[in-house]
Amino acid sequence: MSEATVADTRRLNSKPQDLTDAYGPPSNFLEIDVYDPQTIGVGRNRFTTYEVRMKTNLPIFKLKESCVRRRYSDFEWLKNELERDSKIVVPPLPGKALKRQLPFRGDEGIFEESFIEERRSGLEQFINRIAGHPLAQNERCLHMFLQDESIDRNYIPGKVRQ
Amino acid sequence: MSFFGFGQTAEIDIVLSDAETRKKAEHKTEDGKKDKYFLFYDGETVSGKVNVTLKTPGKRLEHNGIKIEFVGQIELYYDRGNHHEFVSLVKDLARPGELSQSQTFDFEFTHVEKPYESYTGQNVKLRYFLRATISRRLNDISKEMDIVVQTLCTYPEVNSSIKMEVGIEDCLHIEFEYNKSKYHLRDVIVGKIYFLLVRIKIKHMEIDIIKRETTGTGPSVYHENDTIAKYEIMDGAPVRGESIPIRLFLAGYELTPTMRDINKKFSVRYYLNLVLIDEEERRYFKQQEITLWRKGDIVRSMSQQATIATQRYEGSNSASAQAKEESN
């Protein structure tokens, strides 16, 4: 069927973009690095902590730069808090590696370098995915995890308001 | 059905009087195949001949009457037994008697009302057909011929644009605009998305056309959503102040006009879904209903075409003038 008409496909009028907006820094900058694993303690009471360093320009975070030390159980705590309080589907953590904690292993178990590196990378992915979620950014537990010196397990769960 | 070759049967053939000149339209059948049927509009006369051909020459065909019906009906797939007829016309062709030889009967349904458009959907079918029947004692002989009906509209008097500001508090604010709220089936959706605030990392943005078929009433209402089109309009991360244009040609997609509460049985509505996807595959969307209508194939006059061409020329002129102004 031939259409003998010409469709009007002109663009709608839009405001010209301000050059400061076009070339300015993006307002969605959020980078979290998990690195420098350190094993603390001796014998059976050893555990590994990781440095969680955050840089952001999102206004919801009080500090634009922060650096804290966290261990695997702190990440587990955060995951549980978010699963309970927020509406998001929380991504999975790297494995708990219970088998590696059994005695009579040929290697270092959970203090094996390759395992720590795997875990570090998984934790970095996990925290980046959570911190980028708008619904998780409201939660008090996330802010405490990323920016407070230590985690107060007796805190009052709640939302952060700007 | 003949018992062991005894008795007489006949073949019925329905031929329209304007079969040579009438246009045919493609229509999807229930199993997805596309077939061509004669196209009719509301108010048109349906006329033709019914040819009854006796199978066994020489033998008579006894019958209780020959008639032809013009039926418009709605069939709900979950309630197959009940056909809701909204148009039902009958013409008697022959009184009860005998046919000694093959015969042809003329019929005419004058200025038949065809209020709704033919529609074959996922849960409902609306169809028009002619049915010629030879009534007999044990079993009837009948033949159906489907036709397709299209409902035409003219340009709506009021066709305001859709303009809205939406977003997530402190995360993402956009202002979207579509040039019209009512589009014909070969129209172009022209619009733009203006970013007021971007605090999430957007990967790309697309616009989808969604068809929603609603059948049933009261407690048993079925919605069937079907994504007819997905069209990417932006790839990459926008910043505040950026304006993304939209130009979506509808002619390439399988669309029907918007149907609202047809005979109180079903509706077919269309929505534009604007979807933004961020780096973590999270989807942010805004759905907006649009009305689709069918335009008749009328060739526009030369003066109208010239007007549109002038508009386009002037539009592009003013845009380049604006750009010159900014670079100064």
Side-chain angles (χ1 to χ4, degrees), chain A residues 45-92:
Chain A
N45 299 325
R46 283 179 296 170
F47 61 93
T48 311
T49 62
Y50 306 83
E51 191 170 292
V52 179
R53 191 180 286 197
M54 180 174 106
K55 288 204 183 78
T56 184
N57 66 356
L58 293 174
I60 193 154
F61 291 107
K62 250 189 353 210
L63 300 172
K64 298 305 158 210
E65 279 192 27
S66 72
C67 186
V68 294
R69 281 232 149 239
R70 295 282 178 256
R71 58 184 291 188
Y72 184 84
S73 53
D74 293 336
F75 283 84
E76 274 186 319
W77 169 86
L78 177 64
K79 180 169 195 273
N80 289 332
E81 292 296 298
L82 287 174
E83 271 172 353
R84 190 193 63 223
D85 288 339
S86 81
K87 294 196 199 73
I88 70 176
V89 174
V90 185

Side-chain angles (χ1 to χ4, degrees), chain B residues 88-99:
Chain B
S88 182
L89 305 169
V90 184
K91 288 258 190 280
D92 281 317
L93 300 175
R95 296 235 297 277
E98 268 179 7
L99 278 183

Side-chain angles (χ1 to χ4, degrees), chain A residues 1 4 10 21 27-28 129, chain B residues 190 198 200 240 280 297 305:
Chain A
M1 274 188 250
R10 286 172 301 164
D21 283 341
S27 31
N28 56 11
R129 280 171 73 175
Chain B
V190 173
V198 188
I200 54 172
R240 183 178 57 192
E280 298 288 341
D297 289 329
Q305 289 191 16

